[in-house]
Amino acid sequence: MPSGMLGAGFPPETVDRGLALGADVIAVDGGSTDSGPYYLGSGTAKTSAAAVARDLRLLLRAAAGAGIPLIVGSCGTSGTDSGVDWVSGIVETILREENLTLRVARIYSEQTAAVLKERLGEGRVHPLPPMGDLDAATLDECTHIVGMMGHEPIAAALAAGADVVLAGRATDTAVAAAYPLMKGMPPGPTWHASKIIECGGQCTTNPRAGGVLATIDDDGFVIEPLDPAAACTTTSVAAHMLYETVNPFEMREPAGTLVVTDAVYTALDDRRVRVEGSRFEVADQYTVKLEGARVTGYETMSFTAIRDPHILARIEEWVALMHEVLAGRVSQTLGLDPSGYAVDIRPYGYNAVLGSIDPASGPPREVGVMMLVNAPDQATATAIAKIANPLMLHLPTSDMDYLPSLAFATSPAETERGAAYEFTLNHVVDVDEPTALFRIEIEGAPR
Amino acid sequence: MSSRPTLGELALEVRSKNAGPFWVTMELFMRTGEDYTTVADEDFINEQVVAGLYGVDPATVQIFRIPALNVVKISFPRPVAQGSVRDRDIHAGQHHVPLAALVPP
């Protein structure tokens, strides 16, 4: 695992080191939901093509040179079909430029509302907390829906002769687990090792030093950093089960649950850790988790700033007055009721980040005021932001008998942000075959 | 006049992050077993205290106490949908601050 995400970069010598240590497969995650619903909703990548190409060039050379497979999961950030095709296009260009002959498999994970509505009708779609039962209309509203594949479709592509597997949405762990499971390694240690290494160097004492090598055997696994100067400690490895997980002891995969309650972490030396006692409990029903995003509206942003101590001493009153006066002006000019749009006014420098749960108090020295307008179409969002413009420039507090002029950061003050999205699905679908929802395409010269 | 240290000052690290789009999770990494025992005390941090700090339903709060790591971990559903017009912390990476401001007995 050369890094936590394709396109994040890594020192080339760390990959050489992994090969020298005898790596059997290179696996890297290409995505995450962590940066928000925009990437799934729009089917575009968070990473730049140049950064992805830079990493892929090094990894394709390494895989070809060592004769080992390269697996990329959740291509294009969200794992949409467009994300797989985007990474596939980059790979094709590199293979041509480097004169490499590798067989590339693409695994598509995008789902249609029509098929999922059938499954829903059969009672085969279930909510995960904190969500409730799924409404069929929610499926229709999604711009993109992906299923998170387990290791099986990836293993199937490898078994069919692929040298490079470009997977759509996959669990972070499946990307690393596919090859060892295919080779018959035990599922407990394999899934646990895969979880520990999913973020590359995050499980080491120097997360920026590059990736890690996991070596799995019949009773456990050993984990070590690829950078000889970095170290894994029992704490740095065990603590990774906490990262971005609700429950640090149990993690559900499509085929079952990884249980690490009884895992024992032992330092082999000052930079390698051995883990034993991880278990994988096979579930009665194989499930595929769904992710979907829909458009919530279109947004326009405006930004001004306040330095006047008189207003800053009454900043909450000023924000409340802004909401009130703006709602009145929008009603007068556009005939719109506040239920037809949303305005968020964020006083950065005061309590914009935490709002009412902020433990600190007292007047700030200066405040940046971001106004975010969400409306059913872009023109309306911008019209509302423009109606707010004179207020963002001149709104006084109620005790002022003159108009202040506040500090716009840019001209124009408004920026159109386009469509805004939200995640709508947190559900699983029961399937009979692990590969059922995924489509594998393999091309290139057979070995 | 010196005041007693906050959790943020006592701990090695207090952090928060999304655990998927619908949950937020946070961890208190304490430096010593003694400090861990203090913060793991259910009279000090419990579901009600967390619910009060974050304005969430105590029935939805999950707390994991992990003595082997000197860690207390807290998870609850995200009160605001990730990336929505009201979401001001996309990664929920600054939501540890109210927890870190607590002063242990």
Side-chain angles (χ1 to χ4, degrees):
Chain A
M1 185 74 67
S3 73
M5 179 153 79
L6 185 69
F10 49 80
E13 58 273 19
T14 57
V15 175
D16 297 339
R17 171 126 179 109
L19 298 180
L21 288 169
D24 294 308
V25 58
I26 303 173
V28 64
D29 196 4
S32 166
T33 58
D34 209 35
S35 298
Y38 174 82
Y39 304 101
L40 175 60
S42 64
T44 57
K46 176 191 169 186
T47 41
S48 76
V52 168
R54 182 269 181 192
D55 285 3
L56 276 175
R57 188 177 301 274
L58 294 171
L59 297 179
L60 287 165
R61 277 184 198 152
I68 61 175
L70 169 65
I71 301 168
V72 183
S74 301
C75 284
T77 304
S78 59
T80 55
D81 292 356
S82 58
V84 174
D85 288 336
W86 181 70
V87 174
S88 175
I90 295 170
V91 165
E92 255 175 55
T93 304
I94 294 169
L95 292 180
R96 200 165 51 239
E97 288 171 357
E98 299 282 326
N99 202 20
L100 297 173
T101 309
L102 295 176
R103 206 164 179 207
V104 179
R106 295 183 301 272
I107 309 178
Y108 294 102
S109 59
E110 207 155 333
Q111 311 297 319
T112 64
V115 168
L116 292 173
K117 277 194 279 189
E118 282 176 29
R119 298 291 165 276
L120 182 63
E122 294 160 7
R124 306 193 82 189
V125 178
H126 314 284
L128 297 173
M131 304 296 263
D133 284 339
L134 184 60
D135 180 9
T138 303
L139 292 167
D140 284 324
E141 284 177 3
C142 290
T143 54
H144 293 279
I145 302 171
V146 290
M148 286 180 99
M149 71 183 80
H151 68 284
E152 297 89 344
I154 299 170
L158 292 172
D163 303 306
V164 178
V165 179
L166 306 177
R169 189 64 172 135
T171 70
D172 292 356
T173 38
V175 181
Y179 186 83
L181 289 176
M182 180 181 158
K183 292 292 173 183
M185 300 317 293
T190 299
W191 286 112
H192 194 182
S194 301
K195 167 59 187 170
I196 296 299
I197 67 175
E198 49 134 5
C199 287
Q202 182 97 29
C203 63
T204 72
T205 54
N206 181 4
R208 286 176 294 110
V212 288
L213 178 74
T215 307
I216 300 163
D217 57 49
D218 288 340
D219 306 306
F221 64 94
V222 174
I223 180 125
E224 74 174 288
L226 293 176
D227 179 345
C232 283
T233 66
T234 52
T235 302
S236 77
V237 172
H240 194 71
M241 283 307 292
L242 304 168
Y243 191 67
E244 293 177 348
T245 56
V246 171
N247 182 329
F249 301 116
E250 295 184 6
M251 214 178 61
R252 178 67 203 244
E253 291 289 333
T257 303
L258 167 65
V259 181
V260 303
T261 321
D262 302 325
V264 178
Y265 302 79
T266 310
L268 290 185
D269 50 37
D270 58 3
R271 54 186 301 281
R272 292 184 307 150
V273 171
R274 178 166 179 83
V275 184
E276 294 187 2
S278 340
R279 287 182 287 122
F280 189 79
E281 296 175 352
V282 176
D284 293 337
Q285 175 64 56
Y286 193 100
T287 57
V288 171
K289 188 178 171 188
L290 302 172
E291 293 174 343
R294 73 174 188 104
V295 174
T296 62
Y298 294 79
E299 289 185 355
T300 301
M301 184 175 83
S302 179
F303 191 92
T304 192
I306 305 173
R307 184 61 182 82
D308 185 333
H310 183 90
I311 301 175
L312 292 174
R314 296 158 186 79
I315 186 67
E316 292 199 16
E317 181 208 323
W318 185 90
V319 170
L321 187 63
M322 174 67 86
H323 275 295
E324 182 190 325
V325 176
L326 178 60
R329 291 286 296 144
V330 169
S331 174
Q332 284 168 5
T333 52
L334 300 176
L336 276 180
D337 183 82
S339 64
Y341 62 95
V343 174
D344 197 39
I345 300 174
R346 308 173 173 191
Y348 284 103
Y350 177 58
N351 71 351
V353 177
L354 294 174
S356 60
I357 64 169
D358 198 313
S361 61
R365 194 179 72 188
E366 74 177 24
V367 160
V369 180
M370 178 193 286
M371 174 180 287
L372 203 53
V373 180
N374 182 297
D377 60 80
Q378 188 74 65
T380 304
T382 297
I384 293 167
K386 287 190 172 189
I387 289 165
N389 185 296
L391 306 172
M392 294 283 275
L393 178 60
H394 287 309
L395 184 74
T397 51
S398 59
D399 65 338
M400 292 168 76
D401 50 14
Y402 60 95
L403 288 183
S405 291
L406 304 175
F408 271 135
T410 55
S411 173
E414 299 82 20
T415 304
E416 293 189 339
R417 287 184 20 79
Y421 299 87
E422 71 177 5
F423 287 114
T424 53
L425 301 180
N426 193 35
H427 298 77
V428 294
V429 53
D430 300 341
V431 294
D432 298 329
E433 288 296 327
T435 52
L437 294 174
F438 308 100
R439 302 171 306 286
I440 304 174
E441 291 181 5
I442 304 184
E443 53 188 46
R447 269 194 278 209
Chain B
M1 196 182 98
S2 69
S3 55
R4 292 207 310 277
T6 63
L7 279 182
E9 289 161 343
L10 267 184
L12 192 65
E13 185 184 358
V14 186
R15 70 182 186 186
S16 63
K17 198 83 194 282
N18 296 334
F22 300 100
W23 289 79
V24 57
T25 189
M26 45 194 82
E27 291 104 24
L28 288 159
F29 289 86
M30 305 312 293
R31 293 171 195 274
T32 65
E34 194 183 345
D35 285 348
Y36 166 77
T37 305
T38 304
V39 303
D41 185 338
E42 294 187 20
D43 289 333
F44 174 51
I45 292 179
N46 54 50
E47 288 76 3
Q48 290 290 345
V49 167
V50 173
L53 285 176
Y54 290 96
V56 296
D57 177 358
T60 65
V61 175
Q62 300 184 25
I63 301 179
F64 303 91
R65 296 177 175 85
I66 312 168
L69 295 173
N70 291 334
V71 162
V72 174
K73 179 174 171 74
I74 299 166
S75 301
F76 51 85
R78 238 174 170 283
V80 176
Q82 188 196 15
S84 72
V85 71
R86 307 274 175 218
D87 183 22
R88 297 166 171 196
D89 188 3
I90 298 284
H91 294 252
Q94 291 292 300
H95 273 66
H96 61 290
V97 170
L99 180 66
L102 284 181
V103 176

